Amino acid sequence: MGTSEHSDAAEQRFDVADAAPVLLDAHGMVSGWSVGGGQLLGYAAAEVVGRKLTELLLPADAARIPAIGEQCKRDGSWSGILTARHRDGHPVALMVRIAEAQLGPGSERWIMLVTDLAGAQGWAMSRSVLEQMATRSPLGIAIVDTDLRYVWSNDALAQFGGGPAQERIGRRLADIQPGLDSERLEAKMRQVLETGETVVGYEQVGRVQSAPHRQCCHAMSFTRLHDDSGHPLGVYYTAMDITERYLARQRLALLNRAGEHIGRSLDVMQTAQELADVAVPGLADFVAVDLLDSVLEGAEPLPGPPSDSEMVTLRRAGHRSVREGVPETIIRIGQTARYRAESPPVRVLTSGESWYEEQVDPRAMDWTATDLDRAAASLVELGLHSMMIVPIRSRGITIGVTSFFRRDRPDPFDENDLALAEEFVARAAICVDNARRYTRERDAALVLQRSLLPSHLPDQDAVDVTACYRPADELTGLGGDWFDVIPLSGARVALVVGDVPGHGIDGAAAMGRLRTAVQTLADLDLPPEEVLAHLDDLVIRGAREEDAPSAVQAVGSSCLYVVYDPVSGQCAMASSAHPPPALVTPDGAVSFPDLPIGPALGTGGLPFEAAEFCLAEGTELALHTDGLLAVDRREPGREPDLDAGRERLRNVLELRTPSLDGRCVAVVDALVPSRPNDDVALLLARTHRLGTGQVASWDLESDPAVVAEARKKVTRQLGDWGLEELAFTTELVVSELVTNAIRYASGPIRLRLIVERALICEVSDAGASAPHLRHPRTTDEGGRGLFLVSQFSQRWGARYTLEGKIIWAEQSLTGEPAPEIDEPTADASTR
């Protein structure tokens, strides 16, 4: 099939050196055949002469012959490509030239010259055709000699500057294009001269004389020219302006970089700084990001800028310059930026529409200078010649502005630059707003968590205690781990740690619900296993009856509840899916008690069991959440190796540190990475034992006569302790409690006094009935027993043991005056 046709014989000559002639008559019949034709198509003359030319061609080309014949009659010639069929059947592509043969008056004959296209590079072009191709090419073309001096160039090369072709002759690239990196380009030319390897598609970025204020990009190719002996003659190169393609690619790369680098954190200031970092130097030489104060505080932004009569106040959230120290501004990050009400930043902030100026007005002043203690400088004096201001908008509200300036780059901003700036500022605005909303949620969660976690650990004498809490560095940075220290009756103390799955406000709220429930249950003086059983019931009921996320999130939580008695040294503990504490003996040995692990809260299953241990004075208990045992940088989704974690914890705890606070921090620092995968809480307690001089106890008979004897014993003991001022109220409390036990209980009665931070009076009996506080009328003859006890005590209550119950009351040792009463009574009816 023909793929190219030319009919202008004056401008093109057919090379007949290797062509085979074929003679045709006026009807397209072959009237003469040559040896060359037989070599091309395999036919002898006798097989071809007298046949129509169309019989030798493929059908598609045979159909073209009538039109070709008309053109030959009209123009006198035709040239193009036809495909014939070889004698053995395979197609042969032929270059064909048809011209009129002048054989005599009145004879119409045509001579057809054919050449095989196989292995040929195409038509053998005349010099005039080749000159047209080079001189009329839209590509810049040039030839330099071995000294890299111009010997020829076409007219298209002049569009890049450097003058017409005749002015280039004998000069080098650096002489005519000083804005380009001539050393690098000439190095490429020398490389081609030395190796003979062609370089294609080399991109050169710079400024040419035709556009000195615009950065251009050219795609260049270099080819070595050599003579018939293979000796280099010079380099032939082409240049094509691909600036628009290059800039489009740069813009796309900048957008990709913005997507990768803006919004990597949920910090408003850091996100604003990331916006400035991305834009410099890819788009601008200096960028400033200013936000409303409310955005930095996490508050919901209001439409319209906050302003006074003359100035509008924003906060500098980020800036970047190609020059060290950001000399374009004296406002530092975090400082207030005040703009005049009529300035472009305020107009953009108010209108929500972008603004740009290709060339800065020399009279334009620094908009912030009037609010500072220095003379106002013009933007030109600051070296800024072109600018853009783009609003930072999210959900239809403008929350700040981003200002772009060019200083060192001579080319001004244009509409394409503005569109690019608007594109990635819009992306950044989403990230800034997400960071703002996160800041609001995080601040709320922090306030909630601070209010739910103990602000300080209560004073008590049973243990020295300290705690360390480190949240996971996730979206909210908050979690559901908690700890608590709860003073109990009888100088005992409860130590608690727990872990709620999840993070954020819901996790913190679920943690607060559980912590409050544990404190309430602790006030009932229940054994550890019963505290967890009641807590489990509360979680199940809350998840079933409430729609609150915190109620559902509490399901699956873990808790460890430990009660330590400094009088006996006994320690009872129970666990709900929580790892047991580490015990460190006074000599430094570390062990993990064999504690039955119950089911997670709210999941049901086996009942909870407690274990009891007798601890020597000075024993340390390390209560912790499972985050302390997690393997650093473990694979996502992989369960932590708790055995390996316990071994690491053992090794750290064996390192003795005198300070309990320092020891707690050292343990967390040693085991927890800077970005933990899970929240970590560690509660470290060192046990004490009350001395024998702080406890006095007596076994009493169930006889009303012993009440007076009990009062005497108590009075003597208080005298030994130097607490004579409490004798009256203590005698009254003891009298009421012992009388109550004799009247309503059975079995042995025991009276115990404990002095530590308060004076504790305890009366135990074998009864199981609960005491009730009554408010008797004036005319009643009884019912004032526990009412009087409550009036003379800081607090009082009852706890139950396997043998019965204990009624207790505490009195302050701070010297507070006892309340006045009309008359004590021996009636202690409370049941």
Side-chain angles (χ1 to χ4, degrees):
M1 292 289 291
T3 59
S4 177
E5 295 185 7
H6 295 272
S7 59
D8 191 349
E11 293 186 0
Q12 173 182 312
R13 296 189 303 274
F14 192 87
D15 191 347
V16 299
D18 298 321
V22 177
L23 191 63
L24 302 174
D25 64 13
H27 303 288
M29 304 285 289
V30 177
S31 58
W33 188 254
S34 65
V35 176
Q39 292 174 345
L40 285 175
L41 299 180
Y43 294 102
E47 296 176 296
V48 177
V49 174
R51 296 174 62 181
K52 287 189 175 183
L53 175 64
T54 54
E55 297 178 10
L56 302 179
L57 303 177
L58 294 183
D61 277 1
R64 298 173 55 209
I65 292 301
I68 292 174
E70 292 297 327
Q71 183 175 344
C72 287
K73 292 178 181 181
R74 184 178 66 252
D75 300 332
S77 64
W78 177 88
S79 59
I81 299 174
L82 295 174
T83 304
R85 189 181 302 279
H86 195 273
R87 188 172 185 276
D88 62 12
H90 74 270
V92 179
L94 302 173
M95 290 190 296
V96 179
R97 172 72 184 271
I98 302 176
E100 185 177 3
Q102 302 294 331
L103 300 179
S107 64
E108 183 180 348
R109 296 287 187 273
W110 300 90
I111 185 168
M112 182 171 68
L113 302 175
V114 295
T115 303
D116 189 1
L117 276 175
Q121 297 180 351
W123 291 12
M125 296 296 181
S126 66
R127 176 171 178 173
S128 64
V129 173
L130 294 175
E131 287 176 351
Q132 291 179 57
M133 292 174 58
T135 58
R136 297 183 183 181
S137 171
L139 300 179
I141 304 175
I143 299 175
V144 298
D145 61 14
T146 54
D147 293 327
L148 306 184
R149 298 184 181 277
Y150 284 96
V151 296
W152 180 87
S153 65
N154 67 350
D155 294 337
L157 196 65
Q159 65 181 306
F160 305 118
Q166 60 270 21
E167 294 182 7
R168 298 173 181 266
I169 303 300
R171 303 172 69 188
R172 293 177 57 159
L173 182 63
D175 301 327
I176 62 173
Q177 291 287 10
L180 293 179
D181 188 352
S182 57
E183 291 185 3
R184 180 173 297 180
L185 286 174
E186 290 188 345
K188 283 291 179 185
M189 296 179 191
R190 291 191 183 93
Q191 173 187 333
V192 172
L193 280 172
E194 294 172 0
T195 64
E197 296 179 358
T198 299
V199 174
V200 179
Y202 176 78
E203 291 189 0
Q204 172 65 31
V205 180
R207 290 180 172 81
V208 296
Q209 284 189 338
S210 59
H213 300 299
R214 176 174 175 264
Q215 193 175 56
C216 300
C217 181
H218 304 109
M220 306 184 71
S221 298
F222 303 90
T223 304
R224 187 175 75 177
L225 299 176
H226 50 77
D227 58 19
D228 294 339
S229 301
H231 298 117
L233 294 175
V235 174
Y236 158 85
Y237 77 81
T238 62
M240 181 174 62
D241 190 343
I242 59 168
T243 301
E244 293 304 320
R245 186 192 314 168
Y246 170 77
L247 293 178
R249 194 169 67 236
Q250 292 294 102
R251 295 185 186 106
L252 182 59
L254 190 60
L255 287 177
N256 290 336
R257 185 165 177 259
E260 293 174 356
H261 292 83
I262 298 177
R264 292 180 298 177
S265 72
L266 286 173
D267 180 85
V268 174
M269 297 288 284
Q270 184 172 340
T271 303
Q273 184 60 49
E274 289 166 353
L275 168 58
D277 292 342
V278 165
V280 176
L283 180 60
D285 297 324
F286 167 57
V287 172
V289 182
D290 298 320
L291 298 174
L292 298 174
D293 276 331
S294 59
V295 176
L296 297 174
E297 296 168 358
E300 195 72 25
L302 299 175
S307 63
D308 50 35
S309 58
E310 296 182 355
M311 306 295 291
V312 173
T313 300
L314 296 175
R315 184 76 59 181
R316 178 62 49 86
H319 58 212
R320 181 82 175 205
S321 172
V322 294
R323 300 195 175 190
E324 187 177 355
V326 195
E328 297 86 351
T329 180
I330 63 172
I331 300 175
R332 302 296 96 183
I333 293 177
Q335 292 182 344
T336 297
R338 293 183 176 272
Y339 295 103
R340 296 196 302 270
E342 71 277 7
S343 64
V346 176
R347 293 203 301 268
V348 170
L349 187 68
T350 304
S351 67
E353 297 180 356
S354 300
W355 171 90
Y356 83 101
E357 192 169 89
E358 291 187 6
Q359 191 65 40
V360 170
D361 185 348
R363 297 168 297 176
M365 307 304 291
D366 181 2
W367 304 306
T368 61
T370 56
D371 196 42
L372 302 170
D373 295 332
R374 66 176 175 87
S378 70
L379 296 178
V380 172
E381 289 174 343
L382 295 174
L384 307 174
H385 66 85
S386 187
M387 69 183 70
M388 301 186 298
I389 302 178
V390 178
I392 304 173
R393 292 177 59 83
S394 177
R395 294 180 294 131
I397 298 177
T398 304
I399 59 178
V401 295
T402 303
S403 303
F404 302 83
F405 300 88
R406 282 187 176 168
R407 172 175 178 162
D408 297 339
R409 292 173 57 170
D411 45 321
F413 291 119
D414 57 23
E415 292 183 356
N416 291 329
D417 294 323
L418 181 62
L420 175 62
E422 289 176 335
E423 176 68 23
F424 72 76
V425 168
R427 297 187 183 187
I430 297 175
C431 299
V432 169
D433 191 57
N434 288 340
R436 176 197 63 80
R437 298 169 70 179
Y438 158 75
T439 299
R440 180 180 61 184
E441 178 177 342
R442 183 176 182 274
D443 290 345
L446 282 171
V447 172
L448 175 62
Q449 190 170 50
R450 290 192 189 104
S451 66
L452 296 176
L453 286 174
S455 58
H456 65 279
L457 299 177
D459 295 331
Q460 39 74 44
D461 288 339
V463 293
D464 294 330
V465 64
T466 187
C468 185
Y469 177 79
R470 185 167 295 176
D473 188 12
E474 297 188 355
L475 289 181
T476 62
L478 300 170
D481 288 14
W482 91 91
F483 57 89
D484 215 341
V485 177
I486 308 173
L488 302 176
S489 64
R492 298 169 307 133
V493 66
L495 307 174
V496 190
V497 290
D499 186 355
V500 173
H503 306 277
I505 290 181
D506 291 337
M511 175 269 289
R513 292 164 66 99
L514 291 182
R515 179 171 178 256
T516 301
V518 169
Q519 289 179 328
T520 302
L521 293 171
D523 284 342
L524 300 178
D525 261 328
L526 299 175
E529 67 275 17
E530 293 188 26
V531 170
L532 295 183
H534 285 292
L535 192 61
D536 183 56
D537 291 339
L538 289 173
V539 172
I540 293 174
R541 186 164 61 250
R544 185 185 304 124
E545 298 176 355
E546 300 183 31
D547 294 330
S550 59
V552 177
Q553 197 158 5
V555 176
S557 301
S558 67
C559 182
L560 175 66
Y561 190 86
V562 178
V563 175
Y564 174 68
D565 187 345
V567 177
S568 63
Q570 287 295 115
C571 180
M573 61 184 72
S575 169
S576 170
H578 204 90
L583 301 181
V584 185
T585 60
D587 60 2
V590 180
S591 64
F592 296 90
D594 186 10
L595 176 65
I597 305 298
L601 297 175
T603 60
L606 299 175
F608 299 98
E609 299 182 43
E612 290 195 16
F613 309 91
C614 185
L615 303 182
E617 182 171 10
T619 299
E620 292 180 3
L621 293 91
L623 288 75
H624 57 84
T625 55
D626 59 2
L628 191 69
L629 306 181
V631 179
D632 291 5
R633 301 178 181 87
R634 66 179 185 270
E635 297 178 5
R638 178 184 172 187
E639 291 297 324
D641 187 347
L642 297 183
D643 290 337
R646 287 194 185 98
E647 192 60 32
R648 290 195 306 274
L649 177 58
R650 181 197 306 275
N651 295 335
V652 175
L653 288 174
E654 286 176 348
L655 303 174
R656 307 300 292 175
T657 304
S659 167
L660 195 64
D661 291 336
R663 184 169 172 77
C664 187
V665 172
V667 170
V668 174
D669 288 344
L671 298 180
V672 181
S674 58
R675 297 175 63 90
N677 295 312
D678 195 8
D679 310 308
V680 174
L682 173 63
L683 183 66
L684 199 58
R686 183 177 294 153
T687 63
H688 293 293
R689 296 285 289 271
L690 297 185
T692 55
Q694 294 179 269
V695 181
S697 61
W698 303 273
D699 293 323
L700 305 177
E701 297 179 2
S702 184
D703 183 351
V706 304
V707 175
E709 182 63 26
R711 288 199 297 265
K712 294 178 181 179
K713 292 179 178 180
V714 166
T715 301
R716 287 195 297 268
Q717 185 61 55
L718 293 178
D720 294 341
W721 285 340
L723 300 176
E724 293 86 351
E725 68 277 7
L726 297 178
F728 173 74
T729 55
T730 306
E731 285 185 15
L732 179 59
V733 169
V734 168
S735 178
E736 296 297 340
L737 295 183
V738 172
T739 300
N740 203 42
I742 293 172
R743 179 175 298 179
Y744 297 103
S746 60
I749 299 173
R750 185 173 182 83
L751 169 64
R752 185 169 72 166
L753 293 181
I754 302 173
V755 59
E756 43 131 38
R757 294 180 179 271
L759 178 62
I760 304 170
C761 178
E762 296 181 344
V763 175
S764 59
D765 58 50
S769 58
H772 298 284
L773 178 64
R774 293 172 56 188
H775 295 276
R777 295 185 298 273
T778 306
T779 56
D780 290 344
E781 296 182 357
R784 294 182 175 85
L786 287 181
F787 177 76
L788 292 175
V789 170
S790 67
Q791 293 298 305
F792 283 100
S793 304
Q794 280 187 317
R795 61 181 190 140
W796 71 279
R799 67 177 183 270
Y800 295 87
T801 65
L802 296 177
E803 294 80 18
K805 68 176 183 299
I806 299 174
I807 309 297
W808 54 269
E810 291 184 3
Q811 297 180 73
S812 172
L813 297 180
T814 59
E816 297 178 358
E820 296 183 0
I821 60 173
D822 294 335
E823 180 182 359
T825 177
D827 191 335
S829 176
T830 59
R831 318 280 177 171

